[in-house]
Amino acid sequence: MTSQCSSRKPMRVLITGAAGQIGYAIVAMAANGDMLGQDQPVILHLLDIEPAKQALQGVKMELMDAAYPLLVDVVATTDLQEACSGVEVAVMVGGFPRKAGMERKDVMAKNVSIYASQARALEQHASKDVKILVIANPANTNALMLKEHAPSIPPENITAMTRLDHNRALSQIAVRAGTHVTNVSNVIIWGNHSSTQYPDVNHGTADGRPIRQVLAADSEWLDKEFVDVVQQRGAAVIKARGLSSAMSAAASACDHVHDWLNGTAPGKWVSMGVYSDGSYGQPAGLIYSFPVTCQHGKWKIVQGLEIDERSAAKLKASADELVEERELALQCIKEAAAAAQ
């Protein structure tokens, strides 16, 4: 398979859990140019576990059958080293989901083990400047554990996805304001990709005016129902369709990587789970969602935003949860190390 539409060198993109729901949706969007751009050829590296090997080959067959002009080649494998070899972008969809009867620590231990091995493989075999997006939950803490096990990968190259929450917030505001979603900008998702996240509209605009001004008659909705809807949207989708968000998660993953690599529009920011430097009083060393701008493949936290007392409490609550998750994950690492001796 070769691409004739661009003279640019193909980029290698790893998608883990590629035979699953979200992975299946992402690979099509990535092959179509939604992730890297409409002039960037791509070689997709698809990874999944051995029981999904046959399904993974089916995904490869479909990608080839679709004849995407930007798709140069597809590597479909269950071998971690082969999957990570030379990749410049890694989208980590695969993880261990919580099942009935499982304790939170049990799930964390499983994911710490998965991300430890994937981190080592990326460190050894991926491009030295590989850009990593973690989607599998708990996304922020999985990303942090990946960082812990891949010390040579720059911390700023490891991110977690809160863009789905960001996009959900944009959509809710657009509907309420009676405008198109492209006319809404600069909402913020602070903190963890969990029900403690804080969807913040205090600095956002709709049709060029402050959201709080446009929806002045809806202050109570903005402070309560809007926040609840965004925080609980994933559960609402599961209840409605019997399956978790896949199409919207895939689209948001593509948005995240696209803006990271190609830049955000002037005057606009997006939400990304990034390695905290202590901005806005949040603990340094967490993977925490902040408003960021992107340029030349690098993100930068937006500074100088005024945070009121109510918002500050919500930022702290999400940080507290992330600290708790980090301690639990580190405990799992210690126990695993002790068991291996």
Side-chain angles (χ1 to χ4, degrees), residues 40-166:
Q40 177 58 62
V42 61
I43 299 172
L44 291 177
H45 288 224
L46 312 182
L47 175 70
D48 218 311
I49 56 176
E50 194 65 30
K53 187 174 183 176
Q54 184 173 338
L56 191 63
Q57 290 303 316
V59 174
K60 179 178 179 177
M61 291 163 64
E62 284 207 73
L63 284 167
M64 296 173 69
D65 293 348
Y68 292 104
L70 289 169
L71 185 60
V72 176
D73 200 4
V74 180
V75 177
T77 182
T78 58
D79 181 79
L80 191 51
Q81 179 176 332
E82 182 184 14
C84 293
S85 184
V87 298
E88 297 153 276
V89 174
V91 182
M92 317 302 285
V93 183
F96 193 90
R98 189 169 184 171
K99 298 178 180 178
M102 288 189 73
E103 295 294 330
R104 189 163 166 236
K105 185 179 177 182
D106 297 331
V107 182
M108 188 72 76
K110 291 277 190 183
N111 280 298
V112 164
S113 174
I114 291 169
Y115 277 82
S117 60
Q118 292 183 345
R120 287 189 286 267
L122 285 166
E123 188 174 44
Q124 292 171 20
H125 304 293
S127 164
K128 294 304 178 188
D129 193 40
V130 61
K131 303 285 196 294
I132 302 168
L133 167 61
V134 176
I135 296 176
N137 289 320
N140 298 57
T141 299
N142 282 343
L144 186 62
M145 291 304 101
L146 193 153
K147 176 207 162 289
E148 291 293 320
H149 288 92
S152 72
I153 297 177
E156 62 269 21
N157 283 20
I158 301 171
T159 64
M161 189 170 82
T162 53
R163 185 60 177 267
L164 176 54
D165 309 300
H166 181 99

Side-chain angles (χ1 to χ4, degrees), residues 7-326:
S7 60
R8 299 181 70 176
K9 180 185 175 184
M11 289 184 68
R12 293 182 179 271
V13 175
L14 166 65
I15 298 168
T16 73
Q21 257 213 117
I22 298 173
Y24 182 76
I26 288 179
V27 297
M29 295 179 188
N32 196 47
D34 299 347
M35 180 179 287
L36 303 180
Q38 293 301 319
D39 62 346
Q40 177 58 62
V42 61
I43 299 172
L44 291 177
H45 288 224
L46 312 182
L47 175 70
D48 218 311
I49 56 176
E50 194 65 30
K53 187 174 183 176
Q54 184 173 338
L56 191 63
Q57 290 303 316
V59 174
K60 179 178 179 177
M61 291 163 64
E62 284 207 73
L63 284 167
M64 296 173 69
D65 293 348
Y68 292 104
L70 289 169
L71 185 60
V72 176
D73 200 4
V74 180
V75 177
T77 182
T78 58
D79 181 79
L80 191 51
Q81 179 176 332
E82 182 184 14
C84 293
S85 184
V87 298
E88 297 153 276
V89 174
V91 182
M92 317 302 285
V93 183
F96 193 90
R98 189 169 184 171
K99 298 178 180 178
M102 288 189 73
E103 295 294 330
R104 189 163 166 236
K105 185 179 177 182
D106 297 331
V107 182
M108 188 72 76
K110 291 277 190 183
N111 280 298
V112 164
S113 174
I114 291 169
Y115 277 82
S117 60
Q118 292 183 345
R120 287 189 286 267
L122 285 166
E123 188 174 44
Q124 292 171 20
H125 304 293
S127 164
K128 294 304 178 188
D129 193 40
V130 61
K131 303 285 196 294
I132 302 168
L133 167 61
V134 176
I135 296 176
N137 289 320
N140 298 57
T141 299
N142 282 343
L144 186 62
M145 291 304 101
L146 193 153
K147 176 207 162 289
E148 291 293 320
H149 288 92
S152 72
I153 297 177
E156 62 269 21
N157 283 20
I158 301 171
T159 64
M161 189 170 82
T162 53
R163 185 60 177 267
L164 176 54
D165 309 300
H166 181 99
N167 287 349
R168 286 166 171 165
L170 292 176
S171 175
Q172 290 296 314
I173 295 299
V175 170
R176 194 74 173 192
T179 189
H180 192 269
V181 71
T182 56
N183 297 326
V184 182
S185 61
N186 294 357
V187 299
I188 304 168
I189 301 298
W190 299 95
N192 198 5
H193 173 61
S194 74
S195 59
T196 69
Q197 66 176 259
Y198 175 43
D200 180 3
V201 300
N202 292 328
H203 311 280
T205 61
D207 293 321
R209 297 165 56 210
I211 289 171
R212 288 278 182 188
Q213 188 180 108
V214 172
L215 297 177
D218 288 323
S219 290
E220 187 175 339
W221 178 83
L222 285 171
D223 290 339
K224 184 69 175 77
E225 186 179 337
F226 162 75
V227 173
D228 292 344
V229 166
V230 176
Q231 287 177 338
Q232 303 294 335
R233 189 66 163 186
V237 169
I238 291 173
K239 184 177 180 181
R241 66 185 296 258
L243 296 164
S244 61
S245 303
M247 175 174 49
S248 55
S252 299
C254 289
D255 288 345
H256 177 116
V257 175
H258 182 276
D259 288 349
W260 188 2
L261 297 183
N262 294 289
T264 47
K268 293 188 178 181
W269 62 66
V270 294
S271 302
M272 289 172 59
V274 299
Y275 193 63
S276 173
D277 62 356
S279 290
Y280 296 99
Q282 303 315 303
L286 296 175
I287 301 290
Y288 190 98
S289 184
F290 289 99
V292 302
T293 56
C294 302
Q295 192 173 16
H296 307 306
K298 297 185 182 298
W299 54 263
K300 182 179 180 182
I301 296 172
V302 176
Q303 298 293 342
L305 299 176
E306 188 173 333
I307 308 297
D308 60 30
E309 188 175 339
R310 174 180 168 275
S311 297
K314 292 184 178 295
L315 267 65
K316 182 180 184 300
S318 204
D320 289 346
E321 181 183 56
L322 282 168
V323 169
E324 182 185 330
E325 284 187 9
R326 178 182 64 187

